[in-house]
Amino acid sequence: MIETRRAQRTFGDGLIAEEVRDLHEDWMRHADQVLADKEIVAAVYEALATRHPHSRSRGRRGAPAEVVLRLLVLKHMRNWSYGVLEREVRANLVYRDFTRVGGAKMPDAKTMGRWGVAVGPAVVKQIHDRMVQIARQHRVAEGRRMRVDTTVVETNIHYPTDSSLLGDGVRVLTRTMKKIAGIAGAAGAKLRDRSRSVKLRMLEIARAARSSARPVKQG
C-alpha cells in the first residue's frame, strides 16, 4: 500500500533529526523547501500507485512517496548507483534525516531500481515544470528558458567515408520521398528507388579501396 507521507514519525526519527539538525548541507536546506511541495510529492505518488491495480489500498505498507522522491534526488545529486545509495543512507544519519528514512529500515537497491523505472521521464518532466513554477512564484527565475545539461553516451557508428555518407543520404531521401508519395498519391512523377543500385556501387568502391591499399610485394 502506497502513502504520500509517513503518517507519524517515530521516536528514532525525531532523535536523528535533532542530532543532525546543524549538519545538513546548504543544498539540502534549499531542497527541503521544494521537495515539501504537495504537487511534486503527488506526482511521485501517482507514478507509484499505477505499478499495480490495488497499490493504493492493498498489500503491505511500502515506502511513502516522499521518501522515494528524496532518495532518488539524493542519488541524482551524488551520482550514485542504487547499491551505493543503499549503503550510504544506511550508514549516514544526515542522509537518513534528509530522505525521511529516519530510523526505519532502508529499502534495498533492487526496490529503489524499480522505483526509478516507475518514476519515468513523464513524471520527471512534470516535476521539472512544477519546480519552474515555484521558482517563478518566488521570483528566483522568470522561467522563459531552461538550460539542460545532456550526457553523451557512447555508441557504435561506422567510419564516415564519402561513399558511406552518400549511401546514408540516398537512404534518408528515399525514405522521405516514400512518405511524400504516400501522401500525394498518384500526383507527380513516379518515385524510383535507387537504394539497391547505390548499395552495389558502394560495395564496388569498398573493394577498389581495399585493393588499392594492399601493399605491393617486392620481387
Side-chain angles (χ1 to χ4, degrees), residues 3-182:
E3 295 179 316
T4 304
R5 291 182 171 86
R6 191 178 299 166
Q8 185 176 359
R9 303 192 73 179
T10 65
F11 174 77
D13 298 338
L15 187 63
I16 292 174
E18 182 65 28
E19 186 68 22
V20 301
R21 186 183 305 277
D22 59 337
L23 298 179
H24 281 217
E25 299 175 39
D26 290 339
W27 73 266
M28 291 180 176
R29 296 187 180 93
H30 291 293
D32 273 334
Q33 300 176 16
V34 178
L35 298 180
D37 182 74
K38 293 182 179 180
E39 292 187 29
I40 292 178
V41 177
V44 177
Y45 172 81
E46 292 298 329
L48 297 174
T50 56
R51 291 176 59 200
H52 301 289
H54 303 290
S55 294
R56 302 172 191 270
S57 57
R58 297 183 185 177
R60 64 184 181 86
R61 199 177 301 277
E66 180 185 38
V67 174
V68 174
L69 171 64
R70 287 171 174 266
L71 283 169
L72 295 179
V73 167
L74 179 62
K75 175 186 182 298
H76 174 74
M77 292 295 298
R78 292 289 190 252
N79 196 25
W80 287 337
S81 66
Y82 288 108
V84 174
L85 177 64
E86 177 188 355
R87 183 180 69 248
E88 292 294 330
V89 176
R90 285 180 63 187
N92 191 301
L93 295 181
V94 174
Y95 294 151
R96 280 183 169 271
D97 184 55
F98 171 74
T99 59
R100 301 297 187 263
V101 170
K105 180 178 174 58
M106 175 63 191
D108 59 59
K110 290 184 178 179
T111 300
M112 291 188 289
R114 289 192 287 269
W115 293 343
V117 174
V119 183
V123 180
V124 172
K125 182 180 183 304
Q126 186 178 350
I127 292 173
H128 285 172
D129 291 343
R130 177 55 185 161
M131 290 177 66
V132 171
Q133 292 179 6
I134 295 173
R136 294 184 66 181
Q137 290 172 3
H138 290 81
R139 300 186 181 277
V140 176
E142 295 181 354
R144 291 184 303 217
R145 294 181 181 178
M146 178 179 291
R147 179 175 295 175
V148 179
D149 181 17
T150 59
T151 302
V152 177
V153 180
E154 182 179 359
T155 186
N156 294 323
I157 61 172
H158 63 74
Y159 189 78
T161 60
D162 291 341
S163 58
S164 65
L165 291 174
L166 174 63
D168 290 342
V170 171
R171 185 177 67 255
V172 173
L173 287 172
T174 301
R175 184 171 63 240
T176 303
M177 291 305 298
K178 284 182 177 179
K179 292 180 180 179
I180 295 174

